[in-house]
Amino acid sequence: MSFFVDSVIMFTSQVLFFGFGWLFFMRQLFKDYEVRQYVVQVVFSVTFAFSCTMFELIIFEILGALSSSSRYFHWKLNLYVILLVLIFVVPFYIGYFVVSNIRLLQRQKLLFACMVWFTFMYFFWKLGDPFPILSPKHGILSIEQLISRVGVIGVTLMALLSGFGAVNCPYTYMSYFLRNVTDSDILALERRLLQTMDMIVSKKKRIAMTRRQMYQRGEDQNKQTGFWGMIKSVTSTQTGSENLSLIQQEVDALEELSRQLFLETVDLQATKERIEYSKTFQGKYFNFLGYFFSIYCVWKIFMATINIVFDRVGKTDPVTRGIEITVNYLGIQFDVKFWSQHISFILVGIIIVTSIRGLLITLTKFFYAISSSKSSNVIVLVLAQIMGMYFVSSVLLMRMSMPLEYRSIVTEVLGELQFNFYHRWFDVIFLVSALSSILFLYLAHKQAPEKHMAL
Amino acid sequence: MASLDRVKVLVLGDSGVGKSSLVHLLCQNQVLGNPSWTVGCSVDVRVQDYREGTPEEKTYYIELWDVGGSVGSASSVKSTRAVFYNSVNGIILVHDLTNKKSSQNLYRWSLEALNRDSSPTGVIVSNSSDYDREQFAENPVPLLLIGTKFDQIPETKRNEVLTRTAFLSEDFNAEEINLDCTNPRYLAAGTSNAVKLSRFFDKVRRLLF
């Protein structure tokens, strides 16, 4: 009986998450496009729903809601479904939509889509070889094989995003890094842009007029042939077409210049808006936060280095350690079991909510930046894939943040994976990503004022 | 010769509707082979005869300014784009007949171009019910509506699409042309499309002089 009630609760929550994913897709991601293939929207919402259900199950685990056997059942069910979606459904549809965009392969769409899927599976399988992620007692077709590979990809993504985010966040928030842009700078650039456009226009007018005159005189139809024709064409000046190609080259160069000027003007306008924003109350608050985040970022990089250098993987989670410290060093006595549960719940809840929100915002920004009307379907599916893998790996890594008694279900469900490897891998990629982001931002920051000064 | 007879026409629309192909077709009388994303603004020039066939026949240039980007761009992009909207003599609004959103976004595009003096985020309407038809009736700048990718609409849906575009052209108080930018025969001399096009350009020029 309780199993039935539990299943109903799970199912209702899944429907709710599905609805949320649907709305998010329609209102945020696809707000400038028309949804013509509903399959894409359904697949995205399904991936989102099942990922969120996994988080929900962790929360239930901590709170002790629902009965233990039904939790275990739903964990397994959820895991199978999400692996099915991430490994079979989404890659197949990505291949299908990519193939539909290419005109040549229109006829045998399904066949080519299957071929693409097989290539994906091959590389996906090969991915597992260089990593020591499995204990040898697992067979070829076990679920652990799939999860381990999904975990590797997801953890890499998490670490990359995390590293870049940790560095970019203080850089964006703090106004210390904002370049000084005045209105006159922007006006000067705009004037240059318009002057360049005027030059392009006048040159194109010359080309159009010359071409018209050539057409009227029948010059290009009148190509002289034969021996005398060749001699004639050497001596007489082919002013028409020579001039044209010269002017055309100048026009091409000017058009390239106009594009660069446009992009620089956009950049300056964006900086000016940020400067204005930083003078507001909200801006000052974010600036203040930025200082905190930069300290946090430095600390995280330091910890990651320590972990790698001293080959240390944390054995206890932050909650238990925090409680230990308060009890042993500060001498405050309190009911450990009771508080441990609540604190883990809050901590894990915060981690889940911020990671979902952060990921959705990043995906939306990414989508707006690179999508066009042709490729929007493919890009959304790729984002759904990334999202699914990201959430699966965050469950994997979250195991470390929970006290021992709650870890057991995750270990049971996901099987005997080498969890320590994943944490080490996360630290390595995080370090690499953070350091290269620092380098990248430093170079970009240095280069911009020089470019600006040279104008 | 060139500076006195300057006629500037903007070509606006969502990304991917076919503005660059259209401009190329109008100016070079050829189909654009490899369309790519327009960054900023690309200009092309069309040589047009005013009052063709009459003693007052005069040749003049029409500058077609093809402004790239989408209507939901960041405000920094919108403020930069506003630079191109100065002293405009005519606007060609381009939408994709296979994509309803691109037609709906034309209201926002036209407001962005005509309200260039106010801030870019100020007067944007998000759906046509807030839209003020009188504003467009008194509008001094001539508009032309062009629907692209006509060949990609199946026969069965054609009537529905054409009714929709008829409403659109009424709202804008503008003529409409539906064509396929990869096929020059839609604008061949003598077709009703070609007549509408030259009527539009003549109207633009007449308002100047």
Side-chain angles (χ1 to χ4, degrees):
Chain A
M1 184 57 205
S2 71
F3 179 71
F4 180 69
V5 171
D6 294 342
S7 305
V8 167
I9 297 177
M10 290 304 300
F11 186 66
T12 331
S13 56
Q14 272 171 354
V15 167
L16 274 174
F17 288 134
F18 182 84
F20 185 76
W22 187 272
L23 275 177
F24 173 75
F25 184 93
M26 252 191 352
R27 292 291 171 78
Q28 286 274 69
L29 281 185
F30 252 50
K31 67 175 179 179
D32 286 332
Y33 299 103
E34 196 179 318
V35 182
R36 258 170 291 164
Q37 307 269 23
Y38 277 100
V39 157
V40 174
Q41 196 168 1
V42 166
V43 166
F44 182 86
S45 311
V46 161
T47 318
F48 183 77
F50 281 101
S51 314
C52 288
T53 319
M54 271 199 304
F55 288 132
E56 193 195 12
L57 282 169
I58 293 186
I59 297 279
F60 282 167
E61 192 64 36
I62 296 180
L63 287 181
L66 310 187
S67 68
S68 154
S69 57
S70 53
R71 278 201 306 252
Y72 183 72
F73 171 77
H74 280 285
W75 260 114
K76 277 286 184 193
L77 176 70
N78 213 27
L79 197 67
Y80 285 140
V81 170
I82 209 168
L83 281 178
L84 188 79
V85 168
L86 281 182
I87 298 179
F88 294 99
V89 176
V90 178
F92 175 75
Y93 274 115
I94 292 179
Y96 180 75
F97 283 113
V98 165
V99 164
S100 338
N101 270 341
I102 305 176
R103 279 200 169 173
L104 293 174
L105 308 173
Q106 282 291 357
R107 304 268 227 71
Q108 304 276 17
K109 264 197 265 199
L110 275 180
L111 181 67
F112 282 111
C114 289
M115 274 172 51
V116 170
W117 184 80
F118 277 117
T119 329
F120 165 78
M121 276 311 284
Y122 175 74
F123 282 113
F124 184 72
W125 206 259
K126 276 284 171 211
L127 191 66
D129 291 341
F131 298 109
I133 41 185
L134 293 175
S135 25
K137 58 185 173 176
H138 289 125
I140 272 283
L141 284 180
S142 61
I143 200 96
E144 282 82 9
Q145 297 269 2
L146 299 175
I147 300 182
S148 54
R149 286 171 171 80
V150 168
V152 167
I153 301 178
V155 165
T156 316
L157 281 171
M158 276 185 81
L160 281 175
L161 282 178
S162 198
F164 181 69
V167 172
N168 195 37
C169 174
Y171 181 74
T172 333
Y173 284 176
M174 282 166 40
S175 50
Y176 174 74
F177 295 113
L178 280 182
R179 299 191 299 279
N180 210 6
V181 170
T182 59
D183 277 341
S184 55
D185 293 334
I186 298 183
L187 280 175
L189 253 191
E190 285 179 353
R191 216 174 328 135
R192 266 195 73 183
L193 179 59
L194 283 178
Q195 277 172 359
T196 317
M197 301 302 295
D198 286 338
M199 288 201 288
I200 296 177
V201 166
S202 58
K203 288 202 197 291
K204 286 211 167 169
K205 283 180 181 167
R206 270 176 63 190
I207 295 180
M209 202 35 119
T210 320
R211 234 196 239 134
R212 198 179 206 220
Q213 285 167 355
M214 277 169 59
Y215 179 70
Q216 281 170 346
R217 273 185 275 152
E219 211 174 273
D220 42 7
Q221 266 99 7
N222 218 357
K223 287 266 155 64
Q224 310 257 4
T225 53
F227 185 64
W228 284 117
M230 285 201 311
I231 303 273
K232 259 195 184 174
S233 66
V234 164
T235 52
S236 72
T237 44
Q238 291 252 13
T239 40
S241 40
E242 266 176 21
N243 263 355
L244 269 191
S245 58
L246 209 65
I247 305 181
Q248 187 62 45
Q249 279 177 11
E250 289 172 18
V251 164
D252 290 337
L254 281 176
E255 282 184 333
E256 185 58 44
L257 177 64
S258 78
R259 281 190 279 268
Q260 279 182 18
L261 285 174
F262 180 80
L263 290 175
E264 278 175 36
T265 316
V266 170
D267 205 28
L268 284 191
Q269 286 274 11
T271 315
K272 177 178 156 210
E273 278 166 19
R274 277 182 56 196
I275 292 178
E276 279 174 19
Y277 179 73
S278 74
K279 295 191 184 130
T280 65
F281 188 65
Q282 256 192 329
K284 291 204 170 108
Y285 167 70
F286 275 113
N287 185 31
F288 187 63
L289 271 189
Y291 283 103
F292 269 126
F293 277 126
S294 52
I295 298 177
Y296 173 70
C297 166
V298 169
W299 181 75
K300 276 206 85 161
I301 295 182
F302 183 64
M303 287 309 289
T305 324
I306 297 265
N307 281 342
I308 296 173
V309 167
F310 290 116
D311 199 22
R312 192 189 77 139
V313 185
K315 288 289 177 199
T316 50
D317 57 291
V319 181
T320 321
R321 266 187 72 81
I323 293 179
E324 268 175 22
I325 294 176
T326 29
V327 169
N328 294 339
Y329 293 107
L330 300 181
I332 303 177
Q333 296 289 340
F334 55 89
D335 186 356
V336 173
K337 268 192 81 71
F338 175 75
W339 282 107
S340 138
Q341 183 187 30
H342 280 74
I343 296 178
S344 337
F345 167 68
I346 295 175
L347 184 71
V348 168
I350 293 178
I351 295 180
I352 290 175
V353 168
T354 46
S355 73
I356 294 184
R357 183 177 167 275
L359 185 74
L360 287 182
I361 291 178
T362 315
L363 289 187
T364 318
K365 269 198 245 181
F366 199 62
F367 183 74
Y368 285 162
I370 63 174
S371 78
S372 69
S373 53
K374 276 186 84 176
S375 61
S376 55
N377 286 333
V378 173
I379 294 181
V380 165
L381 286 175
V382 168
L383 293 182
Q385 177 92 3
I386 292 179
M387 178 175 73
M389 292 191 167
Y390 186 97
F391 287 149
V392 167
S393 339
S394 43
V395 165
L396 231 157
L397 290 180
M398 208 184 295
R399 196 182 143 271
M400 209 37 105
S401 311
M402 300 191 289
L404 275 174
E405 56 263 32
Y406 307 122
R407 279 189 211 176
S408 57
I409 187 86
V410 178
T411 324
E412 253 183 78
V413 169
L414 294 182
E416 293 262 336
L417 298 179
Q418 305 274 40
F419 289 104
N420 293 340
F421 162 75
Y422 288 105
H423 288 279
R424 174 55 37 80
W425 183 246
F426 181 90
D427 283 331
V428 169
I429 300 286
F430 176 82
L431 201 62
V432 166
S433 163
L435 291 177
S436 23
S437 312
I438 291 180
L439 185 68
F440 172 72
L441 283 177
Y442 176 74
L443 286 176
H445 190 71
K446 270 285 172 202
Q447 197 201 32
E450 280 165 7
K451 234 180 3 168
H452 184 51
M453 233 75 96
L455 292 178
Chain B
M1 146 177 92
S3 52
L4 290 176
D5 286 344
R6 183 172 199 175
V7 180
K8 178 171 164 183
V9 173
L10 279 183
V11 179
L12 297 178
D14 277 354
S15 18
V17 297
K19 302 184 291 292
S20 307
S21 306
L22 177 71
V23 166
H24 199 259
L25 186 63
L26 288 177
C27 300
Q28 319 277 352
N29 286 321
Q30 274 177 348
V31 174
L32 184 60
N34 52 339
S36 65
W37 227 359
T38 317
V39 174
C41 173
S42 98
V43 193
D44 213 342
V45 165
R46 178 181 161 103
V47 184
Q48 182 86 1
D49 292 316
Y50 182 55
R51 298 253 174 104
E52 194 164 3
T54 65
E56 297 150 345
E57 181 175 338
K58 212 170 170 227
T59 312
Y60 63 106
Y61 298 105
I62 306 178
E63 301 167 25
L64 292 168
W65 290 56
D66 160 20
V67 177
S70 75
V71 75
S73 299
S75 57
S76 53
V77 178
K78 284 193 182 153
S79 337
T80 317
R81 267 203 311 242
V83 151
F84 300 127
Y85 300 156
N86 291 327
S87 59
V88 153
N89 306 120
I91 303 184
I92 297 183
L93 295 168
V94 186
H95 65 118
D96 182 350
L97 291 168
T98 60
N99 181 354
K100 266 191 262 186
K101 279 257 170 76
S102 66
S103 320
Q104 286 164 4
N105 284 337
L106 283 181
Y107 296 104
R108 291 161 72 179
W109 274 114
S110 52
L111 283 174
E112 188 181 322
L114 295 173
N115 288 347
R116 61 193 174 278
D117 295 321
S118 63
S119 71
T121 49
V123 203
I124 308 286
V125 293
S126 57
N127 56 21
S128 53
S129 59
D130 292 335
Y131 161 77
D132 186 4
R133 199 177 281 201
E134 277 99 62
Q135 191 179 13
F136 277 86
E138 306 165 356
N139 178 29
V141 178
L143 300 172
L144 177 67
L145 200 64
I146 297 192
T148 54
K149 306 196 189 164
F150 189 57
D151 56 319
Q152 287 179 23
I153 307 179
E155 285 286 344
T156 48
K157 292 219 172 156
R158 246 176 221 181
N159 274 333
E160 184 191 320
V161 169
L162 289 176
T163 341
R164 187 163 44 93
T165 56
F167 277 128
L168 210 62
S169 65
E170 253 186 66
D171 273 345
F172 284 117
N173 194 23
E175 293 249 23
E176 57 154 347
I177 296 179
N178 294 322
L179 48 67
D180 166 23
C181 296
T182 60
N183 191 344
R185 83 176 161 86
Y186 280 95
L187 288 176
T191 56
S192 66
N193 289 339
V195 169
K196 285 184 195 169
L197 197 64
S198 25
R199 262 216 303 258
F200 171 70
F201 286 134
D202 287 346
K203 190 169 162 194
V204 165
R205 187 148 193 288
R206 240 180 304 133
L207 286 173
L208 273 182
F209 302 105

